[in-house]
Amino acid sequence: MIRKSAIPNIWLEKTLKTNGADDWLLWVLLLAKNKKFTVSFVTTYIHTDTGTNTSKNKDEMWKSTEEALEIFRLNVHGYNELCRVFERRIKLIEGFQLENKNKIRLYLQNIDIAWYVLNYKGIKKYLFK
């Protein structure tokens, strides 16, 4: 649970038109504002899948993610390079998820992202068995 007083004003004022990435936007705003938080492993909320959740619709989710990124980019300064990389990552994933483009070719065109993903997946595989 997040205290109401900890929620950044940007998140309250800039409403997404396309549902889906609101949680992502909240978390990156909290991290960008250096908000302190802890993780509780006690279940306090269970998300119910109604069958109409945006998360089931990849096209809508990526639309929402692009919108959230734009809100972040326009309202939080000092993260331009990170925003550019994330935007490229979104386009890359949209390419193989929505447009059926060749995944290997897309990664070769974005070698820095490919290297990051390989490292992350390798680290994740060994650290979180």
Side-chain angles (χ1 to χ4, degrees), residues 47-120:
H47 181 74
T48 305
D49 183 359
T50 64
T52 61
N53 300 52
T54 306
S55 56
K56 298 271 186 187
N57 183 326
K58 290 177 184 176
D59 188 44
E60 290 294 304
M61 275 305 296
W62 289 118
K63 222 182 282 182
S64 181
T65 303
E66 288 172 333
E67 188 181 336
L69 177 60
E70 193 60 19
I71 289 171
F72 183 82
R73 180 194 325 267
L74 294 174
N75 293 281
V76 182
H77 306 290
Y79 292 92
N80 292 338
E81 182 59 28
L82 184 62
C83 287
R84 276 193 293 276
V85 171
F86 191 64
E87 185 173 39
R88 287 176 39 234
R89 178 84 170 117
I90 291 169
K91 295 295 181 201
L92 185 142
I93 294 170
E94 283 178 329
F96 61 76
Q97 281 188 352
L98 302 178
E99 301 166 22
N100 295 319
K101 291 184 178 177
N102 184 293
K103 197 175 199 177
I104 293 171
R105 184 174 177 184
L106 288 169
Y107 274 123
L108 288 174
Q109 291 170 342
N110 296 279
I111 200 72
D112 58 322
I113 294 172
W115 182 247
Y116 175 81
V117 170
L118 286 170
N119 280 325
Y120 173 77

